[in-house]
Amino acid sequence: MDIHNRFEDLEKRVIELEKEVAQLKQRTPSAFKSSIPNPVQQIAPIALAPPKQDVIKKETDWEHLITRVWLPRVFMFVLLIGIVWGFKAAVDSGWITERLRCALGYLVGGGFVWLGFHQHKANRPLLSQVLLGGSIGLFMLTTFASHQLYHLIQAPTAFTLNVLGVVLGLWLSHKLQSQALAIIASAAGVLTPFLLHTDHPSSVFFVSYEAILFISFMLYAIRAKFVGLLYVSFGLLPLALFLFGISTNGDMKIAAIGISVQQFALLVSICLKTPTMPHQLRLLIPSFALTSIWFKVSYSDTVFNFVMICTCLIYAALTYWFNRNDKEKVPFTLTITSYALLFYAANFFNADALAGFLLVEGIIALFLGFVVKSLLQKVNGIIIYTLAFCMSMSTVLEGMRTILSVEMLIWLFILVTMLAMIKIVTRYGDAFTFRNIIVCLKYALGVLVLFFITEVTRTLAHDVSSNMQHLLVSTAWVAYAISVIAYGLQKQIKQMRLAGVALLFLTLIKVIYLDLPNVSLTVKAILFIGLGFIGLLLSRFFYKKN
């Protein structure tokens, strides 16, 4: 019986263990294998941390530091100084002629190339890049000396040799996958025309060369994914054109065409699938800005307006296309569209018409920013609208001459566009994010309406007496306050009702501090009786609401 009971107990314990293992499998199924029939839980061994060892501070090996690190550096510098002095002494003694100097320059440059490749094979990339980059500079300096100082070669030969040096740098960059060498080659290529001496520099040749050089290095940077080279080559072109215009009095109109070629090349590049697309898009806007400035300075207003209109239309069409196919590019093309239209308007319209035009453009730009969900375009719309708003306020604050005047039209533009902005932000903006902004815009619109009513009332009452003018303005304020309160009661908007009450109190303050010292006793009585009656009547309406 005892053995039988023991077997029963063992079976019960096995069943309980199977249940526990099944529960553990449900919690951590990856820790078990279904192919193992024996439900025995395996315990992972506990990794013991190695005993903490005392850190033994290693003594500085001054012999190694001095003899292997600093000794070669210091005496390499000493050797170079000795070589320079020896070269100078040999030149002064007539042992090294001008032709021999140039030949030595090219030989040393070739030696730098050989050493650079040798260091690259020895896995010393930084030293290799220094030697190879130095070889390009040495080749160009030697060519410059041969042409400018010693007059051994003519300008076409010097130009060809310099171009070959740039091609060598580009080949070395491709061979070693070195962006630094490509940047050095790009800078060398840009400087090549400045190292030549000619009595009649050609603006067409210079601009054509620099534009072709930029396009070549831009394509290479995109293909090799050299972002730094892309930015450097972009900045070097306008710098070279600017220096050429200053140093040689070059034709700035042709230089403007060179800048427009850069803009066109970037525009074509963004229409392709490239690995450096975000950086190309970032360069598109400053390229447009440079093009606009160059054409404004170099050409007449008619040509500038034509270029801006064409730019606006081209980028508007691209925006429509990209919005259907590649939305990533829309904010950048839409930005250029907006500012091209802004530059055209600023150059074409007078100040009054420009203010109204830009108010409308700013609202449209802001609306498009919400439609395409672009923060950049929203910022552009706000910038354009703020600029137009400041221009408009400077005009209307001068006073309204007549009802049918430019100031009246600008006031209407301000109020309508402000109302449109509130509607756009309310409909397309996030309710939680833009809640405070919407409230501020509504209060700003209310204040602007108050100023507008005051200006219209004063304009209509300019022929009546001063007493009547004060009375009419205060009456208009009270009517505005009643309208705001009535709208708040109808729409059940508490903020509107409170704003109307605040406006009513503001009217009372105006009457006390501005009207009473300047009006007759009869007008004082009318003002206070009217304000008191209206205040009590409005209070009655609020009681009825409650």
Side-chain angles (χ1 to χ4, degrees):
M1 294 292 293
D2 293 337
I3 295 175
H4 181 70
N5 291 334
R6 288 179 181 178
F7 276 116
E8 289 182 352
D9 292 338
L10 286 173
E11 288 178 356
K12 290 179 181 179
R13 290 180 63 183
V14 169
I15 293 172
E16 291 176 357
L17 287 173
E18 287 179 348
K19 291 180 180 179
E20 292 178 0
V21 170
Q23 292 177 358
L24 289 174
K25 282 185 177 182
Q26 292 178 357
R27 295 178 184 176
T28 56
S30 61
F32 297 92
K33 296 182 179 179
S34 58
S35 61
I36 299 177
N38 187 14
V40 179
Q41 185 176 2
Q42 296 181 357
I43 301 175
I46 301 175
L48 298 177
K52 187 176 180 180
Q53 298 179 355
D54 295 334
V55 179
I56 301 175
K57 186 176 181 181
K58 188 177 181 181
E59 294 184 0
T60 303
D61 189 353
W62 290 102
E63 181 181 4
H64 172 79
L65 185 62
I66 293 174
T67 59
R68 297 189 181 184
V69 177
W70 286 106
L71 189 67
R73 296 180 182 179
V74 172
F75 284 91
M76 174 61 74
F77 181 70
V78 173
L79 177 62
L80 289 176
I81 293 177
I83 292 174
V84 170
W85 283 348
F87 181 81
K88 181 69 169 59
V91 170
D92 293 339
S93 301
W95 297 343
I96 301 180
T97 62
E98 295 177 350
R99 295 180 182 276
L100 185 58
R101 297 172 205 169
C102 297
L104 287 175
Y106 287 118
L107 287 175
V108 173
F112 278 7
V113 173
W114 180 83
L115 287 175
F117 275 104
H118 181 72
Q119 297 300 322
H120 179 73
K121 292 179 180 179
N123 198 20
R124 301 185 185 98
L126 295 179
L127 181 58
S128 172
Q129 292 178 14
V130 170
L131 291 171
L132 293 174
S135 69
I136 298 172
L138 187 57
F139 283 142
M140 297 198 68
L141 287 176
T142 304
T143 304
F144 172 76
S146 302
H147 171 60
Q148 290 274 34
L149 301 180
Y150 305 139
H151 307 288
L152 298 176
I153 56 178
Q154 299 298 320
T157 306
F159 176 78
T160 303
L161 291 175
N162 283 332
V163 171
L164 290 176
V166 174
V167 173
L168 173 64
L170 199 61
W171 179 80
L172 292 173
S173 170
H174 174 71
K175 191 74 174 177
L176 305 181
Q177 288 299 302
S178 171
Q179 181 174 219
L181 290 176
I183 292 175
I184 294 174
S186 175
V190 170
L191 291 175
T192 293
F194 295 97
L195 302 178
L196 303 177
H197 174 72
T198 177
D199 296 330
H200 303 287
S202 173
S203 298
V204 175
F205 175 80
F206 178 84
V207 173
S208 301
Y209 166 78
E210 295 290 349
I212 294 172
L213 188 73
F214 163 74
I215 294 173
S216 302
F217 276 97
M218 182 194 73
L219 294 175
Y220 177 70
I222 292 173
R223 183 179 180 276
K225 302 179 184 178
F226 288 160
V227 176
L229 176 62
L230 181 64
Y231 283 100
V232 170
S233 60
F234 170 80
L236 286 176
L237 176 61
L239 179 62
L241 295 177
F242 178 74
L243 293 177
F244 178 74
I246 292 178
S247 60
T248 63
N249 295 323
D251 193 345
M252 298 303 291
K253 292 183 178 180
I254 299 177
I257 296 176
I259 291 292
S260 64
V261 169
Q262 182 185 57
Q263 169 77 6
F264 180 75
L266 285 169
L267 180 60
V268 173
S269 71
I270 70 167
C271 297
L272 307 174
K273 297 291 184 180
T274 60
T276 58
M277 182 57 66
H279 303 282
Q280 296 165 236
L281 291 172
R282 293 188 190 117
L283 291 176
L284 198 62
I285 296 176
S287 175
F288 163 73
L290 289 172
T291 304
S292 303
I293 294 172
W294 226 287
F295 270 88
K296 178 62 179 176
V297 172
S298 305
Y299 286 92
S300 63
D301 289 343
T302 303
V303 176
F304 177 79
N305 292 337
F306 176 76
V307 171
M308 290 299 103
I309 285 293
C310 292
T311 304
C312 180
L313 294 176
I314 291 172
Y315 278 95
L318 287 174
T319 300
Y320 175 77
W321 172 260
F322 288 143
N323 190 48
R324 300 180 59 184
N325 298 279
D326 195 350
K327 295 184 181 295
E328 175 193 7
K329 304 171 184 177
V330 169
F332 299 92
T333 56
L334 194 55
T335 296
I336 296 178
T337 303
S338 302
Y339 283 104
L341 188 60
L342 169 64
F343 294 159
Y344 164 76
N347 197 59
F348 183 77
F349 295 109
N350 57 33
D352 295 334
L354 177 63
F357 182 87
L358 293 185
L359 284 172
V360 177
E361 182 188 352
I363 286 297
I364 295 175
L366 182 64
F367 170 73
L368 293 176
F370 277 100
V371 171
V372 300
K373 299 179 181 180
S374 168
L375 178 61
L376 177 61
Q377 182 60 22
K378 293 175 188 175
V379 172
N380 294 330
I382 292 172
I383 291 174
I384 296 173
Y385 187 84
T386 303
L387 176 64
F389 183 81
C390 294
M391 295 175 58
S392 302
M393 292 304 297
S394 65
T395 300
V396 298
L397 289 178
E398 296 177 357
M400 190 183 299
R401 296 184 296 271
T402 60
I403 292 297
L404 300 177
S405 62
V406 175
E407 290 80 8
M408 181 67 174
L409 185 62
I410 293 178
W411 264 117
L412 294 176
F413 271 111
I414 292 174
L415 297 178
V416 172
T417 53
M418 182 67 75
L419 181 61
M421 182 182 295
I422 295 173
K423 296 292 185 182
I424 291 171
V425 176
T426 303
R427 179 173 180 180
Y428 294 97
D430 181 67
F432 180 78
T433 305
F434 292 95
R435 180 179 58 187
N436 294 330
I437 297 177
I438 294 172
V439 172
C440 293
L441 288 175
K442 288 181 178 179
Y443 281 120
L445 179 61
V447 173
L448 289 173
V449 171
L450 180 63
F451 278 107
F452 174 70
I453 291 173
T454 304
E455 283 295 317
V456 171
T457 305
R458 287 177 178 176
T459 303
L460 293 174
H462 71 281
D463 292 332
V464 300
S465 63
S466 177
N467 288 337
M468 187 59 65
Q469 287 183 5
H470 285 282
L471 180 61
L472 290 175
V473 171
S474 297
T475 303
W477 282 32
V478 172
Y480 180 44
I482 294 173
S483 302
V484 173
I485 294 173
Y487 183 82
L489 290 171
Q490 181 182 2
K491 299 294 184 179
Q492 297 297 317
I493 304 175
K494 184 178 181 180
Q495 289 83 358
M496 292 290 291
R497 299 194 298 268
L498 293 177
V501 173
L503 182 58
L504 193 62
F505 278 102
L506 181 64
T507 305
L508 179 60
I509 294 173
K510 170 188 174 297
V511 169
I512 294 173
Y513 288 98
L514 297 179
D515 294 345
L516 291 185
N518 300 307
V519 298
S520 63
L521 184 62
T522 303
V523 176
K524 292 177 183 178
I526 295 173
L527 287 173
F528 270 75
I529 291 172
L531 278 175
F533 178 75
I534 291 172
L536 293 174
L537 184 62
L538 290 175
S539 177
R540 175 62 179 168
F541 274 110
F542 277 100
Y543 270 110
K544 183 181 294 185
K545 170 186 174 295
N546 292 332

